[in-house]
mmCIF file of all heavy atoms in Angstrom:
data_model
loop_
_atom_site.group_PDB
_atom_site.id
_atom_site.type_symbol
_atom_site.label_atom_id
_atom_site.label_comp_id
_atom_site.label_asym_id
_atom_site.label_seq_id
_atom_site.Cartn_x
_atom_site.Cartn_y
_atom_site.Cartn_z
ATOM 1 N N LYS R 28 0.864 -1.149 0.038
ATOM 2 C CA LYS R 28 0.016 0.031 0.019
ATOM 3 C C LYS R 28 0.835 1.265 0.022
ATOM 4 O O LYS R 28 2.052 1.226 0.396
ATOM 5 C CB LYS R 28 -0.932 0.079 1.237
ATOM 6 C CG LYS R 28 -1.934 -1.111 1.202
ATOM 7 C CD LYS R 28 -2.967 -0.922 2.308
ATOM 8 C CE LYS R 28 -4.019 -2.045 2.271
ATOM 9 N NZ LYS R 28 -5.004 -1.781 3.438
ATOM 10 N N GLU R 29 0.278 2.356 -0.423
ATOM 11 C CA GLU R 29 0.964 3.648 -0.362
ATOM 12 C C GLU R 29 1.172 4.144 1.072
ATOM 13 O O GLU R 29 0.332 3.806 1.939
ATOM 14 C CB GLU R 29 0.275 4.679 -1.184
ATOM 15 C CG GLU R 29 0.229 4.423 -2.721
ATOM 16 C CD GLU R 29 -0.246 5.509 -3.566
ATOM 17 O OE1 GLU R 29 -0.619 6.509 -2.898
ATOM 18 O OE2 GLU R 29 -0.163 5.409 -4.810
ATOM 19 N N ARG R 30 2.143 4.970 1.230
ATOM 20 C CA ARG R 30 2.306 5.641 2.505
ATOM 21 C C ARG R 30 1.210 6.579 2.864
ATOM 22 O O ARG R 30 0.842 7.292 1.956
ATOM 23 C CB ARG R 30 3.652 6.381 2.481
ATOM 24 C CG ARG R 30 4.067 7.001 3.828
ATOM 25 C CD ARG R 30 5.451 7.492 3.732
ATOM 26 N NE ARG R 30 6.481 6.483 3.480
ATOM 27 C CZ ARG R 30 7.798 6.700 3.368
ATOM 28 N NH1 ARG R 30 8.250 7.853 3.573
ATOM 29 N NH2 ARG R 30 8.464 5.678 3.060
ATOM 30 N N GLU R 31 0.516 6.542 3.965
ATOM 31 C CA GLU R 31 -0.556 7.314 4.341
ATOM 32 C C GLU R 31 -0.298 8.162 5.538
ATOM 33 O O GLU R 31 0.372 7.669 6.489
ATOM 34 C CB GLU R 31 -1.834 6.535 4.440
ATOM 35 C CG GLU R 31 -1.828 5.530 5.599
ATOM 36 C CD GLU R 31 -3.242 4.975 5.890
ATOM 37 O OE1 GLU R 31 -4.221 5.377 5.186
ATOM 38 O OE2 GLU R 31 -3.289 4.047 6.730
ATOM 39 N N PHE R 32 -0.989 9.237 5.567
ATOM 40 C CA PHE R 32 -0.919 10.181 6.744
ATOM 41 C C PHE R 32 -1.591 9.621 7.906
ATOM 42 O O PHE R 32 -2.693 9.079 7.754
ATOM 43 C CB PHE R 32 -1.440 11.571 6.318
ATOM 44 C CG PHE R 32 -1.548 12.486 7.453
ATOM 45 C CD1 PHE R 32 -0.541 13.113 8.082
ATOM 46 C CD2 PHE R 32 -2.932 12.784 7.860
ATOM 47 C CE1 PHE R 32 -0.687 13.998 9.099
ATOM 48 C CE2 PHE R 32 -3.098 13.707 8.942
ATOM 49 C CZ PHE R 32 -2.023 14.357 9.517
ATOM 50 N N VAL R 33 -1.046 9.907 9.121
ATOM 51 C CA VAL R 33 -1.668 9.382 10.363
ATOM 52 C C VAL R 33 -1.995 10.680 11.175
ATOM 53 O O VAL R 33 -3.217 10.891 11.552
ATOM 54 C CB VAL R 33 -0.850 8.439 11.176
ATOM 55 C CG1 VAL R 33 -1.590 8.132 12.414
ATOM 56 C CG2 VAL R 33 -0.532 7.163 10.366
ATOM 57 N N ALA R 34 -0.980 11.444 11.605
ATOM 58 C CA ALA R 34 -1.222 12.597 12.387
ATOM 59 C C ALA R 34 -0.192 13.532 12.219
ATOM 60 O O ALA R 34 0.925 13.166 11.932
ATOM 61 C CB ALA R 34 -1.359 12.135 13.918
ATOM 62 N N ALA R 35 -0.368 14.795 12.663
ATOM 63 C CA ALA R 35 0.603 15.891 12.596
ATOM 64 C C ALA R 35 0.362 16.803 13.761
ATOM 65 O O ALA R 35 -0.690 16.957 14.339
ATOM 66 C CB ALA R 35 0.590 16.644 11.339
ATOM 67 N N ILE R 36 1.522 17.551 14.125
ATOM 68 C CA ILE R 36 1.345 18.490 15.250
ATOM 69 C C ILE R 36 2.318 19.736 14.929
ATOM 70 O O ILE R 36 3.401 19.538 14.388
ATOM 71 C CB ILE R 36 1.863 17.816 16.530
ATOM 72 C CG1 ILE R 36 1.585 18.710 17.818
ATOM 73 C CG2 ILE R 36 3.256 17.363 16.423
ATOM 74 C CD1 ILE R 36 1.746 17.937 19.033
ATOM 75 N N ASN R 37 1.839 20.892 15.361
ATOM 76 C CA ASN R 37 2.597 22.115 15.079
ATOM 77 C C ASN R 37 3.749 22.257 16.088
ATOM 78 O O ASN R 37 3.829 21.466 17.036
ATOM 79 C CB ASN R 37 1.700 23.274 15.033
ATOM 80 C CG ASN R 37 1.343 23.838 16.361
ATOM 81 O OD1 ASN R 37 1.112 23.052 17.306
ATOM 82 N ND2 ASN R 37 1.400 25.132 16.650
ATOM 83 N N ARG R 38 4.537 23.284 15.869
ATOM 84 C CA ARG R 38 5.633 23.493 16.709
ATOM 85 C C ARG R 38 5.542 23.538 18.154
ATOM 86 O O ARG R 38 6.326 22.965 18.882
ATOM 87 C CB ARG R 38 6.482 24.539 16.154
ATOM 88 C CG ARG R 38 5.797 25.874 16.249
ATOM 89 C CD ARG R 38 6.634 26.966 15.655
ATOM 90 N NE ARG R 38 6.711 26.937 14.157
ATOM 91 C CZ ARG R 38 7.436 27.730 13.385
ATOM 92 N NH1 ARG R 38 8.002 28.791 13.914
ATOM 93 N NH2 ARG R 38 7.557 27.533 12.098
ATOM 94 N N SER R 39 4.506 24.178 18.544
ATOM 95 C CA SER R 39 4.108 24.295 19.967
ATOM 96 C C SER R 39 3.316 23.188 20.544
ATOM 97 O O SER R 39 3.233 23.063 21.781
ATOM 98 C CB SER R 39 3.387 25.675 20.196
ATOM 99 O OG SER R 39 2.120 25.634 19.696
ATOM 100 N N GLY R 40 2.743 22.380 19.775
ATOM 101 C CA GLY R 40 1.770 21.366 20.089
ATOM 102 C C GLY R 40 0.319 21.854 20.273
ATOM 103 O O GLY R 40 -0.475 21.048 20.741
ATOM 104 N N GLY R 41 0.123 23.125 20.007
ATOM 105 C CA GLY R 41 -1.198 23.654 20.161
ATOM 106 C C GLY R 41 -2.186 23.265 19.026
ATOM 107 O O GLY R 41 -3.408 23.407 19.254
ATOM 108 N N PHE R 42 -1.740 22.773 17.913
ATOM 109 C CA PHE R 42 -2.494 22.396 16.838
ATOM 110 C C PHE R 42 -2.254 20.929 16.334
ATOM 111 O O PHE R 42 -1.025 20.568 16.355
ATOM 112 C CB PHE R 42 -2.345 23.298 15.551
ATOM 113 C CG PHE R 42 -2.881 24.687 15.847
ATOM 114 C CD1 PHE R 42 -2.072 25.628 16.198
ATOM 115 C CD2 PHE R 42 -4.212 25.028 15.622
ATOM 116 C CE1 PHE R 42 -2.570 26.941 16.436
ATOM 117 C CE2 PHE R 42 -4.670 26.320 15.932
ATOM 118 C CZ PHE R 42 -3.851 27.256 16.306
ATOM 119 N N THR R 43 -3.220 20.182 16.063
ATOM 120 C CA THR R 43 -2.996 18.813 15.625
ATOM 121 C C THR R 43 -3.927 18.520 14.499
ATOM 122 O O THR R 43 -4.953 19.171 14.280
ATOM 123 C CB THR R 43 -3.200 17.726 16.741
ATOM 124 O OG1 THR R 43 -4.550 17.895 17.232
ATOM 125 C CG2 THR R 43 -2.216 17.998 17.809
ATOM 126 N N HIS R 44 -3.581 17.496 13.792
ATOM 127 C CA HIS R 44 -4.439 17.122 12.549
ATOM 128 C C HIS R 44 -4.324 15.563 12.501
ATOM 129 O O HIS R 44 -3.257 15.018 12.663
ATOM 130 C CB HIS R 44 -3.818 17.726 11.376
ATOM 131 C CG HIS R 44 -4.517 17.452 10.094
ATOM 132 N ND1 HIS R 44 -5.825 17.256 9.970
ATOM 133 C CD2 HIS R 44 -4.005 17.043 8.863
ATOM 134 C CE1 HIS R 44 -6.153 16.901 8.637
ATOM 135 N NE2 HIS R 44 -5.129 16.887 7.957
ATOM 136 N N TYR R 45 -5.416 14.966 12.258
ATOM 137 C CA TYR R 45 -5.491 13.391 12.167
ATOM 138 C C TYR R 45 -6.269 12.945 11.020
ATOM 139 O O TYR R 45 -7.220 13.588 10.498
ATOM 140 C CB TYR R 45 -6.206 12.865 13.468
ATOM 141 C CG TYR R 45 -5.546 13.136 14.762
ATOM 142 C CD1 TYR R 45 -5.906 14.346 15.562
ATOM 143 C CD2 TYR R 45 -4.562 12.263 15.274
ATOM 144 C CE1 TYR R 45 -5.243 14.543 16.816
ATOM 145 C CE2 TYR R 45 -4.007 12.477 16.534
ATOM 146 C CZ TYR R 45 -4.386 13.643 17.316
ATOM 147 O OH TYR R 45 -3.721 13.786 18.363
ATOM 148 N N THR R 46 -5.819 11.789 10.455
ATOM 149 C CA THR R 46 -6.686 11.105 9.506
ATOM 150 C C THR R 46 -7.863 10.667 10.142
ATOM 151 O O THR R 46 -7.868 10.288 11.347
ATOM 152 C CB THR R 46 -5.906 10.022 8.769
ATOM 153 O OG1 THR R 46 -6.570 9.620 7.626
ATOM 154 C CG2 THR R 46 -5.647 8.820 9.689
ATOM 155 N N ASP R 47 -9.007 10.495 9.395
ATOM 156 C CA ASP R 47 -10.227 10.103 10.039
ATOM 157 C C ASP R 47 -10.276 8.773 10.776
ATOM 158 O O ASP R 47 -10.916 8.575 11.712
ATOM 159 C CB ASP R 47 -11.380 10.132 9.027
ATOM 160 C CG ASP R 47 -11.768 11.608 8.642
ATOM 161 O OD1 ASP R 47 -11.440 12.434 9.339
ATOM 162 O OD2 ASP R 47 -12.488 11.724 7.524
ATOM 163 N N SER R 48 -9.565 7.882 10.196
ATOM 164 C CA SER R 48 -9.594 6.461 10.715
ATOM 165 C C SER R 48 -8.981 6.404 12.132
ATOM 166 O O SER R 48 -9.180 5.287 12.731
ATOM 167 C CB SER R 48 -8.819 5.480 9.797
ATOM 168 O OG SER R 48 -7.484 5.824 9.529
ATOM 169 N N VAL R 49 -8.239 7.331 12.522
ATOM 170 C CA VAL R 49 -7.531 7.163 13.847
ATOM 171 C C VAL R 49 -8.030 8.253 14.888
ATOM 172 O O VAL R 49 -7.606 8.117 16.024
ATOM 173 C CB VAL R 49 -6.027 7.329 13.784
ATOM 174 C CG1 VAL R 49 -5.445 6.416 12.818
ATOM 175 C CG2 VAL R 49 -5.593 8.738 13.541
ATOM 176 N N LYS R 50 -8.912 9.061 14.519
ATOM 177 C CA LYS R 50 -9.550 10.139 15.382
ATOM 178 C C LYS R 50 -10.278 9.374 16.549
ATOM 179 O O LYS R 50 -11.029 8.510 16.372
ATOM 180 C CB LYS R 50 -10.469 10.963 14.596
ATOM 181 C CG LYS R 50 -9.777 11.955 13.783
ATOM 182 C CD LYS R 50 -10.773 12.910 13.106
ATOM 183 C CE LYS R 50 -10.162 14.014 12.180
ATOM 184 N NZ LYS R 50 -11.205 14.698 11.375
ATOM 185 N N GLY R 51 -9.883 9.951 17.700
ATOM 186 C CA GLY R 51 -10.454 9.313 18.968
ATOM 187 C C GLY R 51 -9.758 8.064 19.554
ATOM 188 O O GLY R 51 -9.969 7.697 20.570
ATOM 189 N N ARG R 52 -8.811 7.616 18.696
ATOM 190 C CA ARG R 52 -7.963 6.451 19.112
ATOM 191 C C ARG R 52 -6.503 6.841 19.331
ATOM 192 O O ARG R 52 -5.864 6.268 20.294
ATOM 193 C CB ARG R 52 -8.091 5.260 18.214
ATOM 194 C CG ARG R 52 -9.444 4.785 17.983
ATOM 195 C CD ARG R 52 -9.507 3.510 17.169
ATOM 196 N NE ARG R 52 -8.894 3.620 15.792
ATOM 197 C CZ ARG R 52 -7.941 3.015 15.292
ATOM 198 N NH1 ARG R 52 -7.330 2.032 16.035
ATOM 199 N NH2 ARG R 52 -7.527 3.215 14.068
ATOM 200 N N PHE R 53 -5.974 7.656 18.451
ATOM 201 C CA PHE R 53 -4.577 8.029 18.506
ATOM 202 C C PHE R 53 -4.454 9.494 18.936
ATOM 203 O O PHE R 53 -5.272 10.319 18.689
ATOM 204 C CB PHE R 53 -3.927 7.926 17.094
ATOM 205 C CG PHE R 53 -3.795 6.577 16.548
ATOM 206 C CD1 PHE R 53 -4.375 5.390 17.162
ATOM 207 C CD2 PHE R 53 -3.021 6.355 15.395
ATOM 208 C CE1 PHE R 53 -4.283 4.091 16.674
ATOM 209 C CE2 PHE R 53 -2.923 5.066 14.927
ATOM 210 C CZ PHE R 53 -3.445 4.017 15.483
ATOM 211 N N THR R 54 -3.297 9.694 19.674
ATOM 212 C CA THR R 54 -3.066 11.160 20.121
ATOM 213 C C THR R 54 -1.606 11.385 19.834
ATOM 214 O O THR R 54 -0.701 10.685 20.200
ATOM 215 C CB THR R 54 -3.305 11.251 21.621
ATOM 216 O OG1 THR R 54 -4.589 10.923 21.906
ATOM 217 C CG2 THR R 54 -2.939 12.756 22.018
ATOM 218 N N ILE R 55 -1.296 12.444 19.122
ATOM 219 C CA ILE R 55 0.003 13.077 18.801
ATOM 220 C C ILE R 55 0.400 14.102 19.824
ATOM 221 O O ILE R 55 -0.530 14.974 20.071
ATOM 222 C CB ILE R 55 0.286 13.449 17.339
ATOM 223 C CG1 ILE R 55 1.627 13.775 17.138
ATOM 224 C CG2 ILE R 55 -0.693 14.626 17.066
ATOM 225 C CD1 ILE R 55 1.934 13.986 15.603
ATOM 226 N N TYR R 56 1.526 14.047 20.349
ATOM 227 C CA TYR R 56 1.899 15.091 21.292
ATOM 228 C C TYR R 56 3.566 15.184 21.221
ATOM 229 O O TYR R 56 4.124 14.249 20.545
ATOM 230 C CB TYR R 56 1.485 14.937 22.711
ATOM 231 C CG TYR R 56 1.921 13.760 23.407
ATOM 232 C CD1 TYR R 56 2.866 13.661 24.421
ATOM 233 C CD2 TYR R 56 1.304 12.476 23.200
ATOM 234 C CE1 TYR R 56 3.294 12.574 25.002
ATOM 235 C CE2 TYR R 56 1.660 11.334 23.884
ATOM 236 C CZ TYR R 56 2.674 11.393 24.800
ATOM 237 O OH TYR R 56 3.053 10.260 25.465
ATOM 238 N N ARG R 57 4.028 16.257 21.781
ATOM 239 C CA ARG R 57 5.532 16.478 21.640
ATOM 240 C C ARG R 57 6.055 17.041 22.947
ATOM 241 O O ARG R 57 5.362 17.663 23.635
ATOM 242 C CB ARG R 57 5.866 17.224 20.466
ATOM 243 C CG ARG R 57 5.357 18.774 20.623
ATOM 244 C CD ARG R 57 5.493 19.437 19.248
ATOM 245 N NE ARG R 57 6.883 19.634 18.804
ATOM 246 C CZ ARG R 57 7.281 19.870 17.555
ATOM 247 N NH1 ARG R 57 6.284 20.120 16.657
ATOM 248 N NH2 ARG R 57 8.491 20.007 17.187
ATOM 249 N N ASP R 58 7.313 16.818 23.090
ATOM 250 C CA ASP R 58 8.107 17.367 24.314
ATOM 251 C C ASP R 58 9.310 17.974 23.607
ATOM 252 O O ASP R 58 10.280 17.284 23.336
ATOM 253 C CB ASP R 58 8.480 16.247 25.230
ATOM 254 C CG ASP R 58 9.218 16.833 26.514
ATOM 255 O OD1 ASP R 58 9.619 17.898 26.366
ATOM 256 O OD2 ASP R 58 9.117 16.114 27.554
ATOM 257 N N ASN R 59 9.215 19.229 23.375
ATOM 258 C CA ASN R 59 10.442 20.072 22.704
ATOM 259 C C ASN R 59 11.645 19.930 23.511
ATOM 260 O O ASN R 59 12.749 20.059 23.083
ATOM 261 C CB ASN R 59 9.914 21.396 22.413
ATOM 262 C CG ASN R 59 8.952 21.406 21.257
ATOM 263 O OD1 ASN R 59 8.891 20.548 20.431
ATOM 264 N ND2 ASN R 59 8.141 22.495 21.153
ATOM 265 N N ALA R 60 11.480 19.881 24.895
ATOM 266 C CA ALA R 60 12.687 19.773 25.739
ATOM 267 C C ALA R 60 13.432 18.478 25.584
ATOM 268 O O ALA R 60 14.618 18.455 25.794
ATOM 269 C CB ALA R 60 12.260 19.998 27.162
ATOM 270 N N LYS R 61 12.730 17.509 25.068
ATOM 271 C CA LYS R 61 13.356 16.168 24.774
ATOM 272 C C LYS R 61 13.527 15.863 23.306
ATOM 273 O O LYS R 61 13.886 14.867 22.875
ATOM 274 C CB LYS R 61 12.561 15.080 25.481
ATOM 275 C CG LYS R 61 12.485 15.148 26.960
ATOM 276 C CD LYS R 61 11.659 13.944 27.519
ATOM 277 C CE LYS R 61 11.696 14.017 29.015
ATOM 278 N NZ LYS R 61 10.825 12.903 29.656
ATOM 279 N N ASN R 62 13.172 16.910 22.505
ATOM 280 C CA ASN R 62 13.337 16.815 20.998
ATOM 281 C C ASN R 62 12.525 15.491 20.538
ATOM 282 O O ASN R 62 13.110 14.796 19.638
ATOM 283 C CB ASN R 62 14.821 16.668 20.552
ATOM 284 C CG ASN R 62 15.484 18.069 20.672
ATOM 285 O OD1 ASN R 62 14.825 19.033 21.067
ATOM 286 N ND2 ASN R 62 16.746 17.970 20.483
ATOM 287 N N THR R 63 11.464 15.244 21.134
ATOM 288 C CA THR R 63 10.726 14.021 20.821
ATOM 289 C C THR R 63 9.216 14.270 20.527
ATOM 290 O O THR R 63 8.624 15.082 21.190
ATOM 291 C CB THR R 63 10.901 13.041 22.017
ATOM 292 O OG1 THR R 63 12.188 12.723 22.224
ATOM 293 C CG2 THR R 63 10.120 11.695 21.693
ATOM 294 N N VAL R 64 8.712 13.623 19.532
ATOM 295 C CA VAL R 64 7.240 13.577 19.249
ATOM 296 C C VAL R 64 6.788 12.169 19.528
ATOM 297 O O VAL R 64 7.419 11.176 19.272
ATOM 298 C CB VAL R 64 7.005 14.129 17.839
ATOM 299 C CG1 VAL R 64 7.639 13.208 16.832
ATOM 300 C CG2 VAL R 64 5.450 14.228 17.565
ATOM 301 N N TYR R 65 5.607 12.075 19.937
ATOM 302 C CA TYR R 65 5.021 10.765 20.384
ATOM 303 C C TYR R 65 3.704 10.485 19.591
ATOM 304 O O TYR R 65 3.076 11.470 19.148
ATOM 305 C CB TYR R 65 4.713 10.799 21.895
ATOM 306 C CG TYR R 65 5.919 11.008 22.854
ATOM 307 C CD1 TYR R 65 6.189 12.254 23.247
ATOM 308 C CD2 TYR R 65 6.740 9.999 23.079
ATOM 309 C CE1 TYR R 65 7.274 12.462 24.037
ATOM 310 C CE2 TYR R 65 7.864 10.187 23.926
ATOM 311 C CZ TYR R 65 8.092 11.505 24.371
ATOM 312 O OH TYR R 65 9.123 11.748 25.203
ATOM 313 N N LEU R 66 3.377 9.309 19.574
ATOM 314 C CA LEU R 66 2.056 8.901 18.956
ATOM 315 C C LEU R 66 1.566 7.751 19.915
ATOM 316 O O LEU R 66 2.002 6.640 19.913
ATOM 317 C CB LEU R 66 2.191 8.338 17.630
ATOM 318 C CG LEU R 66 0.854 8.053 16.860
ATOM 319 C CD1 LEU R 66 0.039 9.315 16.663
ATOM 320 C CD2 LEU R 66 1.063 7.244 15.568
#
């Protein structure tokens, strides 16, 4: 299958965007102090 989008987050973590199939199940967040983004 083709590569598909799951989730995205802006630099501060204040805005997020999800594909419909994961909404309500997946959460993207980030810790800029640790240079890490999580899913």
Side-chain angles (χ1 to χ4, degrees):
K28 295 187 177 182
E29 291 191 356
R30 187 172 298 182
E31 66 169 352
F32 169 72
V33 177
I36 188 167
N37 79 321
R38 57 185 68 180
S39 70
F42 292 97
T43 57
H44 177 44
Y45 297 91
T46 192
D47 286 345
S48 63
V49 309
K50 284 180 181 177
R52 300 188 299 123
F53 291 11
T54 302
I55 186 171
Y56 61 101
R57 67 192 295 162
D58 185 339
N59 287 339
K61 295 182 179 180
N62 288 353
T63 302
V64 61
Y65 303 94
L66 185 68

